[in-house]
Amino acid sequence: MSMFRYYAANSKGRALAPEKAVHTNFLRTGRIARPEEWVAEERRFLTHAEVAERTGKRLENAGRKTHQRLNRFHTDIRFPELVFHKTLSQAPHLGYTHVTASKSDFAEYKDVTWGFYIANFTAEISPDIAPEPAAGIEAGEAADSTAGAHFFHHVKPGYSRMYFAVAMKSELEGETRRQVINRDVRDNGVLFRTADPKTALKNVLLLGAKTAELRKIVEAIG
């Protein structure tokens, strides 16, 4: 069972009766009014499915806004909008969104397919490490998606974000072909990982810049 419980606060609240002066009330009744006597807000606990749905909407909104920022930078650098999300089953307030995917050339590799993601937590990304529990949640939660299986190791929940890109390749599993992390690129397939949105945008733009001239323009970003 998850250690997390979620509730929706009553945004409307109840109309409060005019509060009498504390000393007048004390003289009349002999007791001091407590704040909870005036405000009795009820809490409605949310199911994990409801939390996951809300998390997904926020993640995909962030993904679409990021995609728009990427495509506004230069007319010769364009990325397809491929936004979808995944939440962690044991902690549905945590998740990540896929923003876009493209192909780039590296020194020893040509036409490497990669995907760019945003997560609302920080973690280590290592496909070779099996999930392990930490802090009461599945810290190495295996997040399966059409982009392959990503193992998040040492998840640190909180008000943080993680931006990362991974190389991918097509692999035949039985009679089904699926996308998996390309571990031939940089050992674990991770092209970059950062908590800084500006650094992330610059790295993605560099991946999308097809010419030396375009790369110089991106590099000039302060």
Side-chain angles (χ1 to χ4, degrees):
M1 182 179 293
S2 171
M3 66 177 290
F4 296 105
R5 298 184 71 190
Y6 307 90
Y7 68 88
N10 185 355
S11 59
K12 294 182 179 180
R14 300 192 309 173
L16 303 182
E19 184 176 0
K20 297 180 181 179
V22 173
H23 66 277
T24 303
N25 190 62
F26 176 74
L27 290 174
R28 184 175 63 83
T29 65
R31 62 191 181 93
I32 298 175
R34 303 297 180 187
E36 58 266 23
E37 292 180 9
W38 300 103
V39 181
E41 183 179 351
E42 294 182 357
R43 293 178 176 181
R44 182 180 72 84
F45 284 91
L46 302 173
T47 66
H48 277 204
E50 289 176 309
V51 175
E53 182 180 2
R54 295 185 181 198
T55 301
K57 288 180 180 178
R58 294 190 183 100
L59 288 169
E60 292 196 3
N61 284 338
R64 291 189 183 94
K65 289 178 181 178
T66 301
H67 175 263
Q68 291 170 4
R69 289 186 64 189
L70 287 168
N71 276 3
R72 281 200 299 261
F73 179 76
H74 196 284
T75 55
D76 290 331
I77 303 178
R78 285 290 184 269
F79 301 95
E81 181 181 318
L82 300 171
V83 176
F84 59 85
H85 76 275
K86 175 74 177 182
T87 57
L88 306 189
S89 60
Q90 298 300 314
H93 65 291
L94 302 179
Y96 67 89
T97 183
H98 181 280
V99 179
T100 188
S102 188
K103 290 184 178 181
S104 299
D105 292 337
F106 296 91
E108 60 272 48
Y109 302 101
K110 300 296 181 182
D111 284 336
V112 175
T113 301
W114 52 268
F116 170 50
Y117 301 81
I118 304 173
N120 65 354
F121 56 85
T122 57
E124 295 176 13
I125 305 169
S126 179
D128 296 320
I129 298 178
E132 63 181 51
I137 66 172
E138 293 297 324
E141 181 81 38
D144 295 321
S145 73
T146 55
H150 306 284
F151 290 112
F152 296 116
H153 189 57
H154 295 158
V155 169
K156 297 178 181 178
Y159 295 100
S160 60
R161 281 191 178 184
M162 176 175 67
Y163 305 82
F164 61 97
V166 293
M168 298 179 294
K169 66 179 180 179
S170 180
E171 186 177 83
L172 190 63
E173 185 178 282
E175 297 182 355
T176 304
R177 185 167 294 277
R178 65 191 185 100
Q179 293 292 309
V180 298
I181 291 179
N182 187 350
R183 305 182 191 185
D184 296 330
V185 180
R186 300 187 179 179
D187 296 330
N188 61 1
V190 179
L191 302 180
F192 72 82
R193 183 189 61 142
T194 179
D196 180 34
K198 190 172 184 179
T199 300
L201 288 174
K202 185 174 181 178
N203 284 338
V204 175
L205 290 169
L206 284 172
L207 288 172
K210 303 300 183 182
T211 66
E213 182 180 356
L214 285 173
R215 284 191 288 273
K216 286 181 180 179
I217 294 173
V218 177
E219 288 286 4
I221 298 175

